[in-house]
Amino acid sequence: MSIQQNILVAVDAVVFGYMNANLHVLLVKRKGSTFHKEWALVGGFVLDDEPLTTAVKRELKEETGVQLDYLEQLYTFGDTVDRDPRSRVISVAYFGLINSSKIVPIGDTDAMEAKWYPVNELPDLAFDHSAILSAALNRLRAKLTYQPIGFDLLPNEFLFSELEQLYVTLLGKDIDRRNFRKKIMSFGFLEETSLFKQKKSGRPAKLFRFNDLKYRELESKGIYFDL
Amino acid sequence: MSIQQNILVAVDAVVFGYMNANLHVLLVKRKGSTFHKEWALVGGFVLDDEPLTTAVKRELKEETGVQLDYLEQLYTFGDTVDRDPRSRVISVAYFGLINSSKIVPIGDTDAMEAKWYPVNELPDLAFDHSAILSAALNRLRAKLTYQPIGFDLLPNEFLFSELEQLYVTLLGKDIDRRNFRKKIMSFGFLEETSLFKQKKSGRPAKLFRFNDLKYRELESKGIYFDL
DNA sequence: ACATTATGCGTAATTTTTACACAAAAGTAA
DNA sequence: TTACTTTTGTGTAAAAATTACGCATAATGT
């Protein structure tokens, strides 16, 4: 078998972070010849002997230094704009989340190269990255309602009101605080800590923790988590 | 930008058909040098200027002559066995369904090259095709419960008992005939025809038809279809 | 005509979801 | 120290959805 192909394989990552009660995406300013100085998703070409997820993590490390808490394959975009005029590129897009307490503020200087953008204040993006980002947003919102994925966007210990706020922000619809709490607690993967957190005013609130082990145990029993 | 890559891009299709009250998969017997005479999914290399779905349809036509009623991207398998020892291959897997009345019996001769296999009597498969098939089965089963995808496996006109049987077979759990019917009918995308079908014995049953337009209208209103 | 097979309904019990209000624990300002 | 504001924490009743369940109808075969 002797196949001659001229298609390049790339990976792109849509990485979401949650800060200031808002969803953010990690973008980098391109330095290459194509789309020079434009904002784009983190990504790049896959090495010959490199697994796809390894490629994603490598690019992420090289370009931003960020480490992921959640990563899954999103979709493969193959019928799109070329990166290099001489060759077609197909891009395997990934979708990642990062724990908000691990977020390193980057790109606040003038010589910035990577930056967290609020999803409702996005700049124009290079390539078809707007389409990829849009697909990732849909996936995130859909997944949020049947998989406890929101915890990967919060710090390890968080207030119930923060969790609630996250859902309100990402799903864009109101939640009844009491019913929400009842539902989440009924799943059994959240545990109270002995810690409290005091805001500027109001009653101090318990901090909660997501018990990943417990979650996996429940999941393996085929239990569903509809919100 | 001058990238030298040695990765080949292929597509593979897991095509499901439903016949004799059983789910089947379309397999082909390989003729190439690698995995010669072994059974495999339909697939092949993507042409340089060819969209991915076009490649899937082309391979399908070339190798089996089958036309699809439903096609969606499944997953990209990239960390797997090489097809060609000289190069790495990543494969974008697709997932397709075919209307059971369009199924052409193939491969019943001795010189067969393509064949419908019942999913519970599968032969060993070439490459990592077992893993791909398994992912497709999971996707099919999951999707069946929130999207009216089962109709693409049935003839245009079908009995309610056939639809019910399909769900029982694919989901592997019992269904209350009356509740099932109520639920499906409540969605509003099934319509009665004036036709009847007579089995060997028993009361003749109405034939139903899936109204795709109506479905899309409902779907665009954001209505969900949980089973 | 009688037994057998499969279709086509309707209603009551149970479970899940939704709606809704008030007390408790802090800070702040008079 | 008291009154006011802010935020957390909980329970119950109404409504909706799901589940369980039985019997009449329309054919075939003997």
Side-chain angles (χ1 to χ4, degrees):
Chain A
M1 175 171 42
S2 169
I3 288 290
Q4 194 47 50
Q5 232 187 16
N6 199 31
I7 305 181
L8 292 175
V9 179
V11 288
D12 285 299
V14 183
V15 179
F16 291 114
Y18 183 76
M19 50 234 256
N20 308 327
N22 237 311
L23 187 67
H24 289 65
V25 191
L26 189 57
L27 298 178
V28 295
K29 194 175 248 178
R30 289 183 58 82
K31 290 192 294 187
S33 54
T34 41
F35 289 96
H36 183 58
K37 284 200 180 175
E38 293 209 38
W39 290 101
L41 297 174
V42 180
F45 292 103
V46 177
L47 303 180
D48 282 349
D49 57 353
E50 183 182 46
L52 296 173
T53 56
T54 308
V56 174
K57 289 176 193 156
R58 176 179 50 75
E59 293 287 349
L60 212 58
K61 193 175 172 191
E62 287 175 11
E63 300 184 10
T64 70
V66 165
Q67 271 210 341
L68 292 177
D69 292 284
Y70 181 90
L71 180 66
E72 73 169 35
Q73 191 182 301
L74 177 63
Y75 197 82
T76 297
F77 294 79
D79 310 334
T80 134
V81 186
D82 289 349
R83 289 172 181 254
D84 185 320
R86 283 167 304 175
S87 173
R88 175 172 175 208
V89 177
I90 78 157
S91 166
V92 185
Y94 280 77
F95 156 63
L97 302 177
I98 177 173
N99 185 308
S100 84
S101 60
K102 288 194 206 150
I103 287 184
V104 195
I106 42 178
D108 260 1
T109 73
D110 215 52
M112 61 184 167
E113 305 236 277
K115 194 175 164 184
W116 287 102
Y117 268 93
V119 287
N120 36 22
E121 299 171 27
L122 292 175
D124 282 341
L125 298 185
F127 309 114
D128 57 341
H129 285 189
S130 294
I132 299 182
L133 202 151
S134 165
L137 260 176
N138 288 338
R139 178 85 132 244
L140 173 62
R141 292 198 176 110
K143 209 138 195 177
L144 217 50
T145 68
Y146 66 87
Q147 212 175 294
I149 206 180
F151 303 101
D152 287 309
L153 286 169
L154 290 174
N156 288 341
E157 274 98 27
F158 52 87
L159 304 178
F160 229 103
S161 55
E162 292 172 331
L163 182 65
E164 191 194 320
Q165 182 55 45
L166 184 144
Y167 273 84
V168 170
T169 305
L170 299 202
L171 299 182
K173 61 179 173 186
D174 280 2
I175 286 178
D176 181 285
R177 182 161 48 96
R178 291 156 291 185
N179 293 336
F180 179 73
R181 187 166 181 143
K182 253 183 295 181
K183 175 142 244 174
I184 298 276
M185 289 315 280
S186 76
F187 292 148
F189 49 59
L190 267 206
E191 54 191 24
E192 279 186 32
T193 69
S194 52
L195 304 169
F196 281 76
K197 190 173 173 184
Q198 181 66 57
K199 293 194 177 176
K200 275 161 266 178
S201 81
R203 179 172 172 173
K206 292 176 196 160
L207 283 165
F208 289 82
R209 200 187 348 249
F210 176 70
N211 187 331
D212 202 59
L213 254 73
K214 189 73 184 172
Y215 165 63
R216 273 183 254 197
E217 182 190 325
L218 293 168
E219 194 207 18
S220 71
K221 289 182 190 162
I223 298 175
Y224 282 84
F225 308 97
D226 277 334
L227 275 181
Chain B
M1 175 170 41
S2 171
I3 290 290
Q4 195 48 51
Q5 231 185 14
N6 199 31
I7 306 181
L8 293 175
V9 179
V11 288
D12 285 299
V14 183
V15 179
F16 292 114
Y18 184 76
M19 51 233 256
N20 308 327
N22 235 312
L23 188 65
H24 289 65
V25 192
L26 189 57
L27 298 178
V28 296
K29 194 175 247 178
R30 289 183 57 83
K31 290 193 296 186
S33 55
T34 41
F35 289 98
H36 183 57
K37 284 200 180 174
E38 293 210 40
W39 291 100
L41 297 174
V42 180
F45 291 104
V46 178
L47 304 180
D48 283 349
D49 57 352
E50 184 182 45
L52 296 173
T53 56
T54 307
V56 175
K57 290 175 192 157
R58 175 178 53 73
E59 294 286 350
L60 212 57
K61 193 175 170 190
E62 288 175 12
E63 300 185 10
T64 70
V66 166
Q67 272 210 339
L68 294 177
D69 292 284
Y70 182 90
L71 179 66
E72 72 170 36
Q73 191 183 299
L74 177 64
Y75 197 82
T76 297
F77 295 79
D79 310 335
T80 132
V81 186
D82 288 350
R83 289 174 180 249
D84 185 321
R86 281 168 305 175
S87 174
R88 177 175 173 203
V89 176
I90 77 157
S91 166
V92 185
Y94 280 77
F95 156 62
L97 302 178
I98 177 172
N99 185 308
S100 83
S101 59
K102 287 195 207 149
I103 288 184
V104 196
I106 41 179
D108 260 1
T109 75
D110 214 53
M112 63 182 166
E113 305 239 277
K115 193 173 165 185
W116 287 103
Y117 269 93
V119 288
N120 36 24
E121 299 171 28
L122 291 174
D124 281 342
L125 298 185
F127 309 113
D128 57 341
H129 286 188
S130 294
I132 299 182
L133 204 151
S134 163
L137 260 176
N138 288 340
R139 178 85 132 242
L140 174 61
R141 293 199 175 110
K143 211 138 193 176
L144 217 50
T145 68
Y146 65 86
Q147 214 174 294
I149 206 179
F151 303 101
D152 287 310
L153 286 169
L154 290 174
N156 288 341
E157 274 96 27
F158 53 86
L159 303 177
F160 229 102
S161 55
E162 292 172 331
L163 182 65
E164 192 194 319
Q165 182 54 46
L166 185 144
Y167 274 83
V168 170
T169 305
L170 298 202
L171 299 182
K173 60 178 171 184
D174 280 2
I175 287 180
D176 180 284
R177 181 162 46 96
R178 293 153 289 187
N179 293 336
F180 179 73
R181 187 165 180 144
K182 252 183 297 181
K183 174 139 242 174
I184 297 276
M185 289 314 280
S186 77
F187 292 149
F189 50 59
L190 266 207
E191 54 190 27
E192 276 186 34
T193 68
S194 51
L195 305 169
F196 280 77
K197 190 172 174 185
Q198 181 65 59
K199 294 197 177 171
K200 277 161 265 180
S201 80
R203 179 173 174 173
K206 292 178 197 161
L207 284 165
F208 289 82
R209 199 187 350 250
F210 176 69
N211 187 332
D212 200 61
L213 255 71
K214 188 72 184 173
Y215 165 62
R216 271 183 258 195
E217 182 190 326
L218 293 168
E219 195 209 17
S220 70
K221 288 183 189 161
I223 297 174
Y224 283 84
F225 307 98
D226 277 335
L227 276 178

